[in-house]
Amino acid sequence: MTNYNEIIGELQKRKVQLEASIAIANKKIEKLPEGKLRISYCRGNPQYYKIIDSADTHGKYIKKSDFKIAQELAQRDYLKKAIGAAQEELTIVKRAIGVVYNLKNTKADNQSLITPEAVYDGLKKERKILVSPLLISDEEYARRWSEEQFRISTYKPEEKIYTTRRDEMVRSKSEMVIADMYFEIGVPYRYECELRLKSGVIKYPDFTLLNKRTREVIYHEHLGRMDDEKYRKKNLRKIEEYRRNGIFVGKNLILTFEEDGCPFNIREFEKSIREII
């Protein structure tokens, strides 16, 4: 379901940011000298010229001792272009706010607005299996993702001794707590799902998550024995392999840690996940 308030909120944030930037840029330009900067090269070295008259295509040479003037003119040129771009985007953002606001009110007033996603969601299951949808909602996308078949790790299955609320077996109590947390807050996940890296190497991240809002896949590795040197080095190599294959911490990889004397705080982690996903 489309969250019009969230869309309007994001557009309003951008509107405020653009308006503030334009105001700041205009104030800065007032303190800068008039004119434009022309740069030419002599034996590979830049030479700077100040142009005051638009009819003058050459300009007045700026000496090295007056290098600050070149900096100020370059800053002025940049700010002029940035203001133009910001004003153009601001016009579009304002127009978009109005469009989304009207859509929101139409939906709220008479329920007459029906999205393509809603058309598919409203079909009976007998019809759904017969058609190929034009667009699907985030919930439908997540449902399909969750129902896809995937290969699971077969490494030492006897070590999987903890049962999650989804009746799957995991290797540690912390993994069970994490899995149950994902289940409770509605984050689609797969446990030890096969991941074939760009290099061809196969890994099995502890958790493979779906961000329903962005439809992006995120991986989560819980490193539960960081006080074990062999375990720590093995996982550091694993994280480096992820990095070489385009999986980065802070982008599409989540890392959590624990060791003796430093237990895993699931409540604090849940707060973080609610912000991320």
Side-chain angles (χ1 to χ4, degrees), residues 245-259:
N245 285 271
I247 299 174
F248 305 101
V249 177
K251 178 188 175 186
N252 51 358
L253 177 62
I254 297 170
L255 297 179
T256 49
F257 310 88
E258 66 177 310
E259 62 180 10

mmCIF file with all atom_site columns, all heavy atoms in Angstrom, residues 245-259:
data_model
loop_
_atom_site.group_PDB
_atom_site.id
_atom_site.type_symbol
_atom_site.label_atom_id
_atom_site.label_alt_id
_atom_site.label_comp_id
_atom_site.label_asym_id
_atom_site.label_entity_id
_atom_site.label_seq_id
_atom_site.pdbx_PDB_ins_code
_atom_site.Cartn_x
_atom_site.Cartn_y
_atom_site.Cartn_z
_atom_site.occupancy
_atom_site.B_iso_or_equiv
_atom_site.pdbx_formal_charge
_atom_site.auth_seq_id
_atom_site.auth_comp_id
_atom_site.auth_asym_id
_atom_site.auth_atom_id
_atom_site.pdbx_PDB_model_num
ATOM 1   N N   . ASN A 1 245 ? 33.556 -8.768  -3.485 1.00 0.00 ? 245 ASN A N   1
ATOM 2   C CA  . ASN A 1 245 ? 32.442 -9.131  -4.357 1.00 0.00 ? 245 ASN A CA  1
ATOM 3   C C   . ASN A 1 245 ? 31.257 -8.176  -4.247 1.00 0.00 ? 245 ASN A C   1
ATOM 4   O O   . ASN A 1 245 ? 30.130 -8.517  -4.596 1.00 0.00 ? 245 ASN A O   1
ATOM 5   C CB  . ASN A 1 245 ? 31.995 -10.563 -4.056 1.00 0.00 ? 245 ASN A CB  1
ATOM 6   C CG  . ASN A 1 245 ? 32.943 -11.604 -4.610 1.00 0.00 ? 245 ASN A CG  1
ATOM 7   O OD1 . ASN A 1 245 ? 32.817 -12.051 -5.737 1.00 0.00 ? 245 ASN A OD1 1
ATOM 8   N ND2 . ASN A 1 245 ? 33.941 -11.971 -3.810 1.00 0.00 ? 245 ASN A ND2 1
ATOM 9   N N   . GLY A 1 246 ? 31.530 -6.960  -3.754 1.00 0.00 ? 246 GLY A N   1
ATOM 10  C CA  . GLY A 1 246 ? 30.505 -5.919  -3.762 1.00 0.00 ? 246 GLY A CA  1
ATOM 11  C C   . GLY A 1 246 ? 29.522 -5.958  -2.615 1.00 0.00 ? 246 GLY A C   1
ATOM 12  O O   . GLY A 1 246 ? 28.462 -5.340  -2.679 1.00 0.00 ? 246 GLY A O   1
ATOM 13  N N   . ILE A 1 247 ? 29.865 -6.676  -1.539 1.00 0.00 ? 247 ILE A N   1
ATOM 14  C CA  . ILE A 1 247 ? 28.989 -6.733  -0.360 1.00 0.00 ? 247 ILE A CA  1
ATOM 15  C C   . ILE A 1 247 ? 29.719 -6.021  0.774  1.00 0.00 ? 247 ILE A C   1
ATOM 16  O O   . ILE A 1 247 ? 30.736 -6.508  1.279  1.00 0.00 ? 247 ILE A O   1
ATOM 17  C CB  . ILE A 1 247 ? 28.654 -8.188  0.019  1.00 0.00 ? 247 ILE A CB  1
ATOM 18  C CG1 . ILE A 1 247 ? 27.926 -8.870  -1.142 1.00 0.00 ? 247 ILE A CG1 1
ATOM 19  C CG2 . ILE A 1 247 ? 27.809 -8.245  1.283  1.00 0.00 ? 247 ILE A CG2 1
ATOM 20  C CD1 . ILE A 1 247 ? 27.678 -10.348 -0.936 1.00 0.00 ? 247 ILE A CD1 1
ATOM 21  N N   . PHE A 1 248 ? 29.204 -4.846  1.153  1.00 0.00 ? 248 PHE A N   1
ATOM 22  C CA  . PHE A 1 248 ? 29.919 -3.972  2.080  1.00 0.00 ? 248 PHE A CA  1
ATOM 23  C C   . PHE A 1 248 ? 29.126 -3.729  3.364  1.00 0.00 ? 248 PHE A C   1
ATOM 24  O O   . PHE A 1 248 ? 27.897 -3.595  3.334  1.00 0.00 ? 248 PHE A O   1
ATOM 25  C CB  . PHE A 1 248 ? 30.194 -2.613  1.433  1.00 0.00 ? 248 PHE A CB  1
ATOM 26  C CG  . PHE A 1 248 ? 30.931 -2.686  0.129  1.00 0.00 ? 248 PHE A CG  1
ATOM 27  C CD1 . PHE A 1 248 ? 30.254 -2.554  -1.071 1.00 0.00 ? 248 PHE A CD1 1
ATOM 28  C CD2 . PHE A 1 248 ? 32.300 -2.889  0.101  1.00 0.00 ? 248 PHE A CD2 1
ATOM 29  C CE1 . PHE A 1 248 ? 30.922 -2.617  -2.283 1.00 0.00 ? 248 PHE A CE1 1
ATOM 30  C CE2 . PHE A 1 248 ? 32.984 -2.949  -1.102 1.00 0.00 ? 248 PHE A CE2 1
ATOM 31  C CZ  . PHE A 1 248 ? 32.297 -2.819  -2.291 1.00 0.00 ? 248 PHE A CZ  1
ATOM 32  N N   . VAL A 1 249 ? 29.855 -3.640  4.459  1.00 0.00 ? 249 VAL A N   1
ATOM 33  C CA  . VAL A 1 249 ? 29.241 -3.231  5.727  1.00 0.00 ? 249 VAL A CA  1
ATOM 34  C C   . VAL A 1 249 ? 28.718 -1.803  5.574  1.00 0.00 ? 249 VAL A C   1
ATOM 35  O O   . VAL A 1 249 ? 29.407 -0.936  5.048  1.00 0.00 ? 249 VAL A O   1
ATOM 36  C CB  . VAL A 1 249 ? 30.272 -3.289  6.873  1.00 0.00 ? 249 VAL A CB  1
ATOM 37  C CG1 . VAL A 1 249 ? 29.641 -2.786  8.178  1.00 0.00 ? 249 VAL A CG1 1
ATOM 38  C CG2 . VAL A 1 249 ? 30.789 -4.703  7.056  1.00 0.00 ? 249 VAL A CG2 1
ATOM 39  N N   . GLY A 1 250 ? 27.496 -1.565  6.016  1.00 0.00 ? 250 GLY A N   1
ATOM 40  C CA  . GLY A 1 250 ? 26.890 -0.248  5.895  1.00 0.00 ? 250 GLY A CA  1
ATOM 41  C C   . GLY A 1 250 ? 26.104 -0.075  4.621  1.00 0.00 ? 250 GLY A C   1
ATOM 42  O O   . GLY A 1 250 ? 25.377 0.904   4.463  1.00 0.00 ? 250 GLY A O   1
ATOM 43  N N   . LYS A 1 251 ? 26.244 -1.017  3.688  1.00 0.00 ? 251 LYS A N   1
ATOM 44  C CA  . LYS A 1 251 ? 25.488 -0.951  2.434  1.00 0.00 ? 251 LYS A CA  1
ATOM 45  C C   . LYS A 1 251 ? 24.522 -2.126  2.347  1.00 0.00 ? 251 LYS A C   1
ATOM 46  O O   . LYS A 1 251 ? 23.312 -1.953  2.382  1.00 0.00 ? 251 LYS A O   1
ATOM 47  C CB  . LYS A 1 251 ? 26.437 -0.946  1.241  1.00 0.00 ? 251 LYS A CB  1
ATOM 48  C CG  . LYS A 1 251 ? 25.721 -0.939  -0.099 1.00 0.00 ? 251 LYS A CG  1
ATOM 49  C CD  . LYS A 1 251 ? 26.703 -1.124  -1.253 1.00 0.00 ? 251 LYS A CD  1
ATOM 50  C CE  . LYS A 1 251 ? 25.966 -1.237  -2.571 1.00 0.00 ? 251 LYS A CE  1
ATOM 51  N NZ  . LYS A 1 251 ? 26.880 -1.553  -3.691 1.00 0.00 ? 251 LYS A NZ  1
ATOM 52  N N   . ASN A 1 252 ? 25.059 -3.323  2.233  1.00 0.00 ? 252 ASN A N   1
ATOM 53  C CA  . ASN A 1 252 ? 24.212 -4.511  2.133  1.00 0.00 ? 252 ASN A CA  1
ATOM 54  C C   . ASN A 1 252 ? 24.715 -5.660  3.001  1.00 0.00 ? 252 ASN A C   1
ATOM 55  O O   . ASN A 1 252 ? 24.426 -6.822  2.743  1.00 0.00 ? 252 ASN A O   1
ATOM 56  C CB  . ASN A 1 252 ? 24.089 -4.972  0.673  1.00 0.00 ? 252 ASN A CB  1
ATOM 57  C CG  . ASN A 1 252 ? 25.448 -5.104  -0.004 1.00 0.00 ? 252 ASN A CG  1
ATOM 58  O OD1 . ASN A 1 252 ? 26.489 -4.832  0.586  1.00 0.00 ? 252 ASN A OD1 1
ATOM 59  N ND2 . ASN A 1 252 ? 25.443 -5.526  -1.254 1.00 0.00 ? 252 ASN A ND2 1
ATOM 60  N N   . LEU A 1 253 ? 25.489 -5.318  4.029  1.00 0.00 ? 253 LEU A N   1
ATOM 61  C CA  . LEU A 1 253 ? 25.979 -6.321  4.975  1.00 0.00 ? 253 LEU A CA  1
ATOM 62  C C   . LEU A 1 253 ? 25.869 -5.801  6.398  1.00 0.00 ? 253 LEU A C   1
ATOM 63  O O   . LEU A 1 253 ? 26.355 -4.709  6.701  1.00 0.00 ? 253 LEU A O   1
ATOM 64  C CB  . LEU A 1 253 ? 27.436 -6.690  4.662  1.00 0.00 ? 253 LEU A CB  1
ATOM 65  C CG  . LEU A 1 253 ? 28.107 -7.673  5.622  1.00 0.00 ? 253 LEU A CG  1
ATOM 66  C CD1 . LEU A 1 253 ? 27.392 -9.018  5.622  1.00 0.00 ? 253 LEU A CD1 1
ATOM 67  C CD2 . LEU A 1 253 ? 29.581 -7.849  5.274  1.00 0.00 ? 253 LEU A CD2 1
ATOM 68  N N   . ILE A 1 254 ? 25.226 -6.579  7.256  1.00 0.00 ? 254 ILE A N   1
ATOM 69  C CA  . ILE A 1 254 ? 25.097 -6.252  8.680  1.00 0.00 ? 254 ILE A CA  1
ATOM 70  C C   . ILE A 1 254 ? 25.967 -7.225  9.454  1.00 0.00 ? 254 ILE A C   1
ATOM 71  O O   . ILE A 1 254 ? 25.942 -8.435  9.208  1.00 0.00 ? 254 ILE A O   1
ATOM 72  C CB  . ILE A 1 254 ? 23.629 -6.384  9.147  1.00 0.00 ? 254 ILE A CB  1
ATOM 73  C CG1 . ILE A 1 254 ? 22.733 -5.384  8.418  1.00 0.00 ? 254 ILE A CG1 1
ATOM 74  C CG2 . ILE A 1 254 ? 23.522 -6.189  10.655 1.00 0.00 ? 254 ILE A CG2 1
ATOM 75  C CD1 . ILE A 1 254 ? 21.249 -5.614  8.650  1.00 0.00 ? 254 ILE A CD1 1
ATOM 76  N N   . LEU A 1 255 ? 26.743 -6.705  10.396 1.00 0.00 ? 255 LEU A N   1
ATOM 77  C CA  . LEU A 1 255 ? 27.569 -7.540  11.262 1.00 0.00 ? 255 LEU A CA  1
ATOM 78  C C   . LEU A 1 255 ? 27.175 -7.320  12.710 1.00 0.00 ? 255 LEU A C   1
ATOM 79  O O   . LEU A 1 255 ? 27.001 -6.178  13.140 1.00 0.00 ? 255 LEU A O   1
ATOM 80  C CB  . LEU A 1 255 ? 29.054 -7.216  11.087 1.00 0.00 ? 255 LEU A CB  1
ATOM 81  C CG  . LEU A 1 255 ? 29.683 -7.456  9.717  1.00 0.00 ? 255 LEU A CG  1
ATOM 82  C CD1 . LEU A 1 255 ? 31.147 -7.046  9.740  1.00 0.00 ? 255 LEU A CD1 1
ATOM 83  C CD2 . LEU A 1 255 ? 29.553 -8.914  9.297  1.00 0.00 ? 255 LEU A CD2 1
ATOM 84  N N   . THR A 1 256 ? 27.004 -8.409  13.449 1.00 0.00 ? 256 THR A N   1
ATOM 85  C CA  . THR A 1 256 ? 26.797 -8.325  14.895 1.00 0.00 ? 256 THR A CA  1
ATOM 86  C C   . THR A 1 256 ? 27.817 -9.241  15.563 1.00 0.00 ? 256 THR A C   1
ATOM 87  O O   . THR A 1 256 ? 28.273 -10.218 14.961 1.00 0.00 ? 256 THR A O   1
ATOM 88  C CB  . THR A 1 256 ? 25.368 -8.725  15.293 1.00 0.00 ? 256 THR A CB  1
ATOM 89  O OG1 . THR A 1 256 ? 25.020 -9.978  14.666 1.00 0.00 ? 256 THR A OG1 1
ATOM 90  C CG2 . THR A 1 256 ? 24.368 -7.670  14.860 1.00 0.00 ? 256 THR A CG2 1
ATOM 91  N N   . PHE A 1 257 ? 28.158 -8.921  16.815 1.00 0.00 ? 257 PHE A N   1
ATOM 92  C CA  . PHE A 1 257 ? 29.249 -9.631  17.485 1.00 0.00 ? 257 PHE A CA  1
ATOM 93  C C   . PHE A 1 257 ? 28.858 -9.973  18.923 1.00 0.00 ? 257 PHE A C   1
ATOM 94  O O   . PHE A 1 257 ? 28.019 -9.313  19.535 1.00 0.00 ? 257 PHE A O   1
ATOM 95  C CB  . PHE A 1 257 ? 30.517 -8.758  17.534 1.00 0.00 ? 257 PHE A CB  1
ATOM 96  C CG  . PHE A 1 257 ? 30.905 -8.170  16.213 1.00 0.00 ? 257 PHE A CG  1
ATOM 97  C CD1 . PHE A 1 257 ? 30.393 -6.948  15.787 1.00 0.00 ? 257 PHE A CD1 1
ATOM 98  C CD2 . PHE A 1 257 ? 31.798 -8.833  15.389 1.00 0.00 ? 257 PHE A CD2 1
ATOM 99  C CE1 . PHE A 1 257 ? 30.757 -6.400  14.571 1.00 0.00 ? 257 PHE A CE1 1
ATOM 100 C CE2 . PHE A 1 257 ? 32.175 -8.288  14.165 1.00 0.00 ? 257 PHE A CE2 1
ATOM 101 C CZ  . PHE A 1 257 ? 31.653 -7.077  13.765 1.00 0.00 ? 257 PHE A CZ  1
ATOM 102 N N   . GLU A 1 258 ? 29.537 -10.988 19.444 1.00 0.00 ? 258 GLU A N   1
ATOM 103 C CA  . GLU A 1 258 ? 29.483 -11.254 20.880 1.00 0.00 ? 258 GLU A CA  1
ATOM 104 C C   . GLU A 1 258 ? 30.655 -12.151 21.256 1.00 0.00 ? 258 GLU A C   1
ATOM 105 O O   . GLU A 1 258 ? 31.247 -12.830 20.419 1.00 0.00 ? 258 GLU A O   1
ATOM 106 C CB  . GLU A 1 258 ? 28.159 -11.898 21.284 1.00 0.00 ? 258 GLU A CB  1
ATOM 107 C CG  . GLU A 1 258 ? 27.897 -13.275 20.745 1.00 0.00 ? 258 GLU A CG  1
ATOM 108 C CD  . GLU A 1 258 ? 26.585 -13.846 21.256 1.00 0.00 ? 258 GLU A CD  1
ATOM 109 O OE1 . GLU A 1 258 ? 26.355 -13.810 22.482 1.00 0.00 ? 258 GLU A OE1 1
ATOM 110 O OE2 . GLU A 1 258 ? 25.796 -14.330 20.427 1.00 0.00 ? 258 GLU A OE2 1
ATOM 111 N N   . GLU A 1 259 ? 30.980 -12.124 22.531 1.00 0.00 ? 259 GLU A N   1
ATOM 112 C CA  . GLU A 1 259 ? 32.013 -12.989 23.083 1.00 0.00 ? 259 GLU A CA  1
ATOM 113 C C   . GLU A 1 259 ? 31.781 -13.103 24.579 1.00 0.00 ? 259 GLU A C   1
ATOM 114 O O   . GLU A 1 259 ? 30.887 -12.428 25.131 1.00 0.00 ? 259 GLU A O   1
ATOM 115 C CB  . GLU A 1 259 ? 33.408 -12.430 22.802 1.00 0.00 ? 259 GLU A CB  1
ATOM 116 C CG  . GLU A 1 259 ? 33.666 -11.065 23.423 1.00 0.00 ? 259 GLU A CG  1
ATOM 117 C CD  . GLU A 1 259 ? 35.066 -10.535 23.112 1.00 0.00 ? 259 GLU A CD  1
ATOM 118 O OE1 . GLU A 1 259 ? 35.751 -11.139 22.271 1.00 0.00 ? 259 GLU A OE1 1
ATOM 119 O OE2 . GLU A 1 259 ? 35.471 -9.541  23.733 1.00 0.00 ? 259 GLU A OE2 1
#
